[in-house]
Every structure is written in C-alpha cells, then in structure tokens.
C-alpha cells in the first residue's frame, strides 16, 4: 500500500532489488547500533584520551629507572628502535581495528570469530589491572590529603609509627660534607611513614594473613572509585571532556617540577647520572628486552583501551597522524619526566652525601618514599608535595578511565539492547564489584596482593594476546584485506614499513619477549619478603587463565559451526556476515552487499543512489572493488 500511495502521489518507486534497508519502512533489521552507542564530541577528545591513557604512572616511576640502569643515554637507542618496530605499528593496528568496526574488544572479533577468546582474555587482563591500579590511585589520594598541612608528616622521626632505626638523614656532617653514620642500618622517616603508617605492613604476617582492613585506605579507595564512576557516567561524552584537564594539567606540573629541579644545587649530578651514555650496555640482550618491555607497557597495547577509544571515532578520522602524535609524545614525556625526577634526586644525593644510585629506586618506592623525602628538603615542601601527587593523580585517572570504558564498552556491545539504555547503571555495578574485590588491597598485607597482581595479571598473558591479535589480523583475515579496509577508511594504504612490522618484525619481537620472560622468570618479592609457593602458583594461573581464554574461544566457535572439523575451522575463521563499518553510509564498495536486507547485484550503485554523488572515499571504494575483481580473475586463470 505504501508503494501504491507513493506512485499515486507521483513519487518515484524504488524497485525491491535496489532498496537499501532504510528504504524498507520501519522494519527493525537489527543492523545499526552506532547511533545510540555514543561517540566523541570532537576530534581532540579522542587524541587527548589516548595521550592520557598512554602517559601514566609508568612514565614517572619506571622509565627513568630503566634508562639509568640500562646504559643511560645509550638506552634511548634501543628504546626508539623498539618504538619503531613494536610500538607504532601495533598502536596503529589496534586503532584501525576499533575505528573501522566501531566495536569493542569482544564484538570486534566478527573479523574472525575463531579468535574471540583473545577479546575475552583482554577483558580479564584489563579487569585485574583496573582493580589494583585504582588502589595505587588511592595511595596517591592518601598522600595528597597528607600534603595539606604546614609540615609534612613524613618529615621527622618521633611519631608513633617510627622505630629506633629511623634517622632524618639531615644531621651534622663531617668536613667532607658526608654524614658520619652508616646509612645502610637506618631508615628514613618517609620510608617508615609509607610502610608502617600508610600500609601498616607490620600488622600482616604475609600474603596468607593480610590482617585487618585499613579504614583510611578503604575510604581513599572508595573515593577513587567514585571519581572514576562520575567521570565515565555518560561514557566518552563525559570522560572525553574530563581529559581536557587530566591529560594536559600533568604537563604543567611536570614543567614546574622540572624548572624547580634543575635550579637545585646538585641537580646536574642527577641528570648526568641519568643520561651519561654507556654504550657497552647495548651489547647486552637485557637492555633491548627492557626497551621493548617499556614501549609495550607504556603505550598500553593489548589492553583494549586504544581499540575502545578508536571505536567512538568518526569513520574517516585520521588515526595515522594521531598514532605518531601519541606514540612520540609519550616517549618525549617519559624523557622529560626523567629530567624532572633525576634533577631532584641529584639534589637529594648531594644533601645526603651518598651516590645517586643509592637514592634512586624503581616503582612505587620512587613515588611514595624517595620523592616525598626529597620534597621535605625543599622550601614550601607541602606545596611541592601536593603538586607532585596531584600530577600522579591526574596521570593515573586517565588510564583508569580507559580500563573501565574498555570493560563497559565490550560488554554493552555484546548485549546492546539490554545494556546500552542502562549503561550508567551497568558502569556503576562494575565499579561497585571492583571496589569490593579490591578491599583485600586495603588490608595490612594488601601490598603483597598488589605486587602479585602487578607481576602476573598483565605479564606473559598480555604478550600472548597481542601476538594472537597480530597473527589473526594479518595471517587469517589477511594483510591485503586489512590494508584495503584501511584504504577505504583513510584514503590510502599502509606502506611497506607497517606491513613488514605487522607480518614479521612485531610478532617476532613479542615472541622473543615472551620467551625471555619465561626463561628469566624470577619469583615475586617485596623487599625482603619472599612469596610462598602457593602464591606463586596462583599468580602463574592468573596469567595462564588469560592465555587459556583463546583456545576456549576457538572451541566454542568451532562447535557453533557445522561440517567436518576442517570445514568448521574455515567457517569460524571467516569474517561474520555483518563485519564491516557500523554505519550504513560508510559501507561503501564490497561492504554494501553485507547490509541486512540488501539484495543488489551492484551495491555501490545502491549506495550512490541513496546518498547521492561519489565522494573521494567512495572513489576509494571503487578502486578497492576493482582490485578485488582483478585478483579473482587472476586466481581463476
């Protein structure tokens, strides 16, 4: 009746053969969820979110330490080489997958359902990391509030948490300016404040007896989760605006700390120690492995955050340009952070009369012991302490936003009708669940559990996931097909550099990292505490569980198909029928034929008829279709 009524009014009648789904009335064809999925309100939202996600706590407390222990300035050679081989190509690969499909880490495996287990493994890893990462933010909040005093509480001994070993390390010196005491037998007030007051680790007998919950840490963790929830409440529309502050303000504070640091007496001693090239280190495989690990974890590849952020982009966003901005910006930020940190450590070395290498530490010890102690030596110490921990807070929150958004997006993309209308409620439930799971980290022995999670949740399992993703996209889906997709999306194909890295260099490097981490395996420890065998086994199982998700996903995918085992494998490895750009107007070329309800033998003509004219991107689609036709003709000859 609708067609007859249209003909009666003199309107052109569209034959059934040339009708697109949107022409066919109000039929719900279940083809497009992008409209209610949400998207960035501007291109800068995405770029700043990626910068905030990559530039995190590791830039402050891990890169400087790794640089000076692995050849100083010489470390930058393997660092930038590994950035070129692994960092940039894998970063671009993950962004391309997300933007092309507008899907999260689970649903994106429509590209090859056989490997959907890799998406489940991503979620498991990012979930475990999000639990303990927010505990680190809770520690930062604790110190942030503690800095709001006229005198920092870790400045002096004599508090109830101090022992007789506590020494302020600022006593009278001999004629050479050195403390006449054996510092190795003493403990600084900042170290006892961290271990005995903040952690209250003396109340625990080990990881198996964590002790009581620390109410102040419990409240700080609750506040951290409330902040995260409020910032992701409306998805990327809210977190995309928060990052305008959280991704940019750390640079202002870092610049202030850098200027203050280089003007301190003895600062050059620390900077010289940080960057003096020791080229003989380059002959050691350990240095190259450390550089690759730093790149791998710093850029956050494999956690699903980049894929998730890119899935909210417009289809033709220039992620090629964004890739270089973020990856190179992240590297430069790490180097600048090293100058800011080591200039202060050089000053601290001169004040204490000890070598720089006895002052510097890696990991949380740098952020919660060494640097706070350095702050006590500066005029207006509470002000500089507040700035430092506020910088750490903003650095950490960006990454935590990405972790939570990855989990929420992945699950809601799997169940869009049920969860998308209630995304805020679902996000709240995830935050509550993770807060409750993280309560064990607020106990007296919570640091033992945090170390276990840190060592195993994203170790070899993450490498296996990234290797699997790289091989599935380039070998199973096909490097030519993937490059065509990028051509359709960006208007050009990736060059030889990206194809060589995706096919050979990146997987080979990651495989070497995986083998190295297994061969050089060392049991976890925290200070002088050695973890029991059952805790080590639990950690190894934690890493193995994410790896086992991949074969489990393969088994499920194969069982869903029909035919012989080989036929099932072939069918499960092919892209799903609805794989492709999410929005109808972006399904040019070969992907128009995959739209639900489309029966046209000339899909590009249908697209042109509906949207009118041919844009530069549709010209690209014509080129891609021509390439496919030529390849099919060659294969038949």
């Amino acid at each position: 009746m609708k067609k007859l009524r249209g003909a009666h009014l003199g309107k052109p009648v569209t034959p059934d053969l040339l009708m697109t789904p949107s022409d066919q009335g109000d039929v719900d064809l279940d083809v497009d969820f992008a409209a209610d999925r949400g998207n960035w309100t501007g291109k800068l939202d995405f770029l700043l979110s990626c910068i905030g996600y990559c530039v995190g706590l590791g830039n402050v407390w891990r890169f400087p330490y790794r640089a000076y222990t692995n050849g100083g300035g010489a470390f930058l050679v393997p660092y930038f080489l590994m950035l070129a081989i692994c960092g940039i190509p894998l970063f671009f690969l993950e962004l391309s997958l997300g933007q092309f499909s507008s899907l999260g880490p689970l649903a994106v495996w429509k590209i090859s359902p056989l490997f959907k287990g890799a998406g489940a493994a991503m979620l498991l890893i990012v979930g475990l990391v999000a639990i303990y990462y927010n505990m680190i933010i809770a520690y930062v909040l604790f110190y942030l509030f503690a800095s709001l005093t006229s005198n920092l509480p870790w400045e002096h001994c004599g508090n109830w948490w101090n022992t007789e070993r506590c020494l302020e390390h600022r006593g009278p010196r001999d004629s050479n300016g050195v403390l006449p005491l054996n510092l190795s037998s003493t403990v600084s007030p900042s170290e006892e404040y961290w271990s005995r007051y903040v952690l209250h680790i003396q109340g625990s007998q080990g990881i198996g007896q964590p002790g009581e919950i620390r109410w102040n840490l419990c409240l700080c963790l609750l506040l951290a989760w409330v902040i995260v929830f409020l910032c992701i409440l409306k998805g990327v529309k809210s977190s995309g605006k928060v990052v305008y502050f959280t991704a940019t303000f750390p640079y202002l504070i870092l610049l202030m700390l850098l200027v203050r640091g280089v003007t301190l007496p003895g600062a050059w001693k620390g900077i010289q120690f940080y960057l003096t090239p020791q080229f003989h280190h380059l002959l050691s495989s350990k240095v190259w492995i450390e550089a690759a690990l730093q790149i791998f974890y710093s850029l956050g590849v494999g956690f699903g955050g980049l894929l998730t952020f890119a899935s909210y982009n417009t289809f033709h966003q220039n992620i090629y340009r964004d890739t270089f901005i973020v990856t190179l910006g992240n590297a430069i930020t790490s180097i600048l952070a090293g100058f800011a940190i080591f200039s202060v450590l050089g000053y601290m070395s001169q004040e204490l009369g000890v070598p720089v290498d006895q002052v510097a530490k890696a990991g949380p010890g740098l952020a919660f012991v060494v640097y706070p102690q350095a702050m006590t030596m500066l005029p207006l110490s509470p002000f500089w302490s507040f700035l430092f921990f506020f910088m750490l807070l903003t650095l950490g929150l960006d990454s935590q936003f990405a972790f939570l958004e990855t989990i929420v997006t992945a699950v809601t993309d799997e169940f869009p009708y049920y969860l998308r209308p209630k995304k805020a409620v679902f996000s709240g439930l995830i935050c509550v669940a993770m807060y409750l799971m993280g309560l064990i980290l607020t106990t007296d022995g919570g640091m033992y559990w945090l170390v276990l999670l840190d060592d195993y949740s994203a170790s070899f399992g993450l490498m296996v996931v990234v290797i699997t993703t790289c091989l599935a996209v380039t070998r199973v889906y096909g490097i030519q097909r993937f490059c065509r997709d990028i051509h359709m999306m960006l208007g050009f194909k990736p060059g030889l550099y990206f194809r060589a890295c995706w096919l050979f260099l990146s997987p080979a490097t990651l495989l070497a990292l995986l083998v190295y981490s297994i061969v050089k395996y060392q049991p976890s420890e925290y200070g002088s505490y050695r973890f029991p065998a059952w805790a080590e086994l639990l950690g190894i199982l934690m890493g193995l569980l994410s790896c086992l998700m991949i074969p489990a996903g393969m088994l499920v995918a194969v069982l869903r198909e029909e035919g012989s085992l080989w036929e099932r494998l072939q069918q499960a490895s092919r892209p799903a029928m609805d794989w492709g750009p999410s929005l109808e107007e972006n399904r040019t070329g070969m992907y128009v034929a995959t739209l639900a309800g489309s029966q046209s033998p000339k899909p590009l003509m249908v697209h042109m008829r509906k949207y009118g004219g041919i844009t530069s991107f549709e010209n690209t689609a014509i080129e891609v279709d021509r390439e496919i036709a030529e390849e099919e003709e060659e294969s038949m000859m």
Side-chain angles (χ1 to χ4, degrees):
M1 293 294 293
K2 184 183 291 187
K3 291 180 185 176
L4 291 174
R5 189 162 52 248
H8 178 70
L9 294 174
K11 294 180 180 178
V13 178
T14 306
D16 288 342
L17 189 64
L18 295 181
M19 290 179 68
T20 61
S22 55
D23 292 325
Q24 300 180 7
D26 299 326
V27 180
D28 184 7
L29 292 169
D30 197 29
V31 295
D32 184 18
F33 303 106
D36 61 344
R37 188 174 183 269
N39 55 279
W40 302 110
T41 54
K43 293 181 179 180
L44 200 56
D45 297 19
F46 166 72
L47 187 61
L48 289 176
S49 293
C50 284
I51 291 172
Y53 169 62
C54 296
V55 179
L57 300 174
N59 296 72
V60 174
W61 71 37
R62 189 171 285 125
F63 175 84
Y65 183 85
R66 275 188 169 158
Y68 96 79
T69 55
N70 290 285
F75 179 73
L76 297 179
V77 175
Y79 178 76
F80 278 103
L81 190 60
M82 288 301 169
L83 176 65
I85 292 175
C86 275
I88 294 173
L90 293 176
F91 195 96
F92 185 48
L93 174 80
E94 197 165 324
L95 290 186
S96 299
L97 272 178
Q99 180 166 303
F100 183 78
S101 63
S102 297
L103 296 171
L106 277 177
V108 76
W109 286 103
K110 289 179 180 179
I111 191 174
S112 183
L114 187 66
F115 296 94
K116 192 169 185 176
M122 258 184 206
L123 286 194
L124 176 63
I125 291 169
V126 80
L128 291 171
V129 170
I131 291 171
Y132 81 81
Y133 200 87
N134 224 29
M135 189 66 230
I136 298 175
I137 295 176
Y139 293 142
V140 172
L141 286 170
F142 191 101
Y143 271 82
L144 192 69
F145 295 138
S147 301
L148 299 174
T149 58
S150 55
N151 293 302
L152 296 174
W154 56 84
E155 186 171 356
H156 302 291
C157 299
N159 303 289
W160 66 261
W161 59 82
N162 294 124
T163 64
E164 63 277 0
R165 295 178 60 210
C166 182
L167 180 69
E168 294 181 18
H169 296 181
R170 299 182 71 182
R173 306 172 189 277
D174 60 20
S175 57
N176 295 320
V178 179
L179 288 168
L181 296 170
N182 181 12
L183 295 180
S184 62
S185 62
T186 63
V187 180
S188 67
S190 64
E191 188 167 348
E192 288 203 337
Y193 180 82
W194 164 243
S195 62
R196 296 181 59 82
Y197 180 67
V198 179
L199 301 180
H200 200 256
I201 205 163
Q202 70 272 18
S204 168
Q205 299 300 314
I207 191 169
Q209 297 174 295
E212 299 179 354
I213 289 178
R214 298 275 291 155
W215 67 267
N216 42 14
L217 287 181
C218 186
L219 291 177
C220 284
L221 182 61
L222 177 63
L223 177 59
W225 278 112
V226 169
I227 293 172
V228 171
F229 171 68
L230 292 176
C231 291
I232 67 165
L233 181 60
K234 294 183 179 179
V236 293
K237 289 190 182 297
S238 56
S239 64
K241 295 307 175 190
V242 175
V243 293
Y244 277 82
F245 176 76
T246 57
T248 56
F249 194 67
Y251 285 96
L252 177 62
I253 301 179
L254 188 63
L255 187 61
M256 292 173 67
L257 292 173
L258 176 62
V259 172
R260 183 68 186 106
V262 296
T263 56
L264 292 169
W268 179 244
K269 185 190 296 185
I271 294 173
Q272 187 177 22
F273 187 80
Y274 166 50
L275 284 182
T276 300
Q278 301 169 41
F279 290 106
H280 66 276
H281 280 270
L282 299 182
L283 301 176
S284 169
S285 61
K286 176 179 175 292
V287 174
W288 295 85
I289 295 294
E290 290 280 347
L293 285 172
Q294 179 62 30
I295 285 294
F296 185 68
Y297 288 109
S298 178
L299 291 178
V301 176
F303 288 97
L306 298 172
L307 194 151
T308 301
F309 283 163
S311 73
Y312 291 104
N313 275 344
T314 56
F315 187 69
H316 300 304
Q317 167 84 3
N318 190 352
I319 50 173
Y320 181 79
R321 173 201 60 204
D322 295 342
T323 294
F324 286 96
I325 292 175
V326 176
T327 53
L328 294 177
N330 175 68
I332 293 169
T333 303
S334 297
I335 296 169
L336 284 177
F339 279 105
I341 296 296
F342 270 87
S343 61
V344 175
L345 296 186
Y347 163 72
M348 193 174 174
S349 167
Q350 179 164 306
E351 286 291 299
L352 298 177
V354 297
V356 179
D357 60 350
Q358 292 185 26
V359 177
K361 288 185 180 180
L366 176 64
F368 299 117
V369 177
V370 178
Y371 215 79
Q373 183 183 352
M375 295 297 102
T376 64
M377 301 178 179
L378 298 174
L380 299 174
S381 54
F383 170 73
W384 293 109
S385 177
F386 180 85
L387 281 185
F388 176 71
F389 286 109
F390 193 73
M391 179 184 73
L392 291 187
L393 176 65
T394 52
L395 286 174
L397 283 175
D398 298 300
S399 301
Q400 189 69 4
F401 295 160
F403 296 150
L404 265 292
E405 192 61 53
T406 299
I407 296 170
V408 172
T409 297
V411 180
T412 52
D413 280 349
E414 282 293 293
F415 309 101
Y417 279 122
Y418 301 103
L419 294 179
R420 277 194 188 150
K422 302 174 182 176
K423 192 173 181 179
V425 175
F426 180 64
S427 301
L429 291 175
I430 292 289
C431 290
V432 169
M434 289 195 165
Y435 169 69
L436 294 175
M437 286 188 281
L439 283 178
I440 194 169
L441 304 178
T442 66
T443 59
D444 295 334
M447 178 52 69
Y448 299 133
W449 285 97
L450 191 146
V451 169
L452 192 72
L453 283 167
D454 186 35
D455 285 350
Y456 292 102
S457 61
S459 55
F460 58 89
L462 184 65
M463 294 182 199
V464 170
V465 168
V466 177
I467 293 171
T468 302
T469 302
C470 199
L471 294 179
V473 172
T474 58
R475 304 287 182 173
V476 180
Y477 182 67
I479 187 70
Q480 292 297 334
R481 189 184 296 183
F482 185 57
C483 287
R484 283 198 202 104
D485 291 344
I486 295 174
H487 189 188
M488 178 192 297
M489 184 170 61
L490 301 182
F492 59 88
K493 281 187 177 181
L496 179 62
Y497 158 65
F498 280 103
R499 281 180 281 144
C501 288
W502 289 336
L503 281 171
F504 306 109
L505 297 178
S506 297
T509 304
L510 290 177
L511 191 59
L513 281 179
L514 180 61
V515 173
Y516 179 85
S517 64
I518 294 172
V519 172
K520 295 291 185 178
Y521 167 77
Q522 290 182 339
S524 295
E525 57 184 48
Y526 181 70
S528 59
Y529 179 77
R530 301 294 181 270
F531 284 73
W534 67 265
E536 288 295 321
L537 180 61
L538 180 64
I540 293 171
L541 289 175
M542 195 188 306
L544 283 176
L545 184 59
S546 57
C547 298
L548 292 174
M549 288 284 189
I550 299 172
M554 289 180 172
L555 181 62
V556 171
V558 167
L559 290 176
R560 286 179 174 174
E561 302 297 339
E562 297 178 353
S564 65
L565 179 59
W566 178 243
E567 289 171 341
R568 288 171 182 242
L569 282 170
Q570 283 185 312
Q571 291 163 8
S573 62
R574 294 191 187 106
M577 286 298 294
D578 57 344
W579 164 252
S582 181
L583 292 177
E584 183 183 337
E585 58 263 34
N586 295 325
R587 282 183 175 262
T588 56
M590 60 182 288
Y591 287 103
V592 177
T594 63
L595 285 171
S598 176
Q599 304 171 354
S600 173
K602 297 186 181 297
L604 187 61
M605 289 179 63
V606 176
H607 191 272
M608 288 166 56
R609 187 184 186 286
K610 176 171 176 59
Y611 295 103
I614 301 179
T615 67
S616 60
F617 289 105
E618 278 140 14
N619 271 324
T620 298
I622 294 173
E623 293 174 21
V624 171
D625 282 354
R626 187 181 297 118
E627 286 180 15
I628 295 172
E630 289 172 358
E631 285 184 8
E632 288 176 351
E633 288 177 6
E634 289 175 4
S635 63
M636 294 175 64
M637 292 176 64

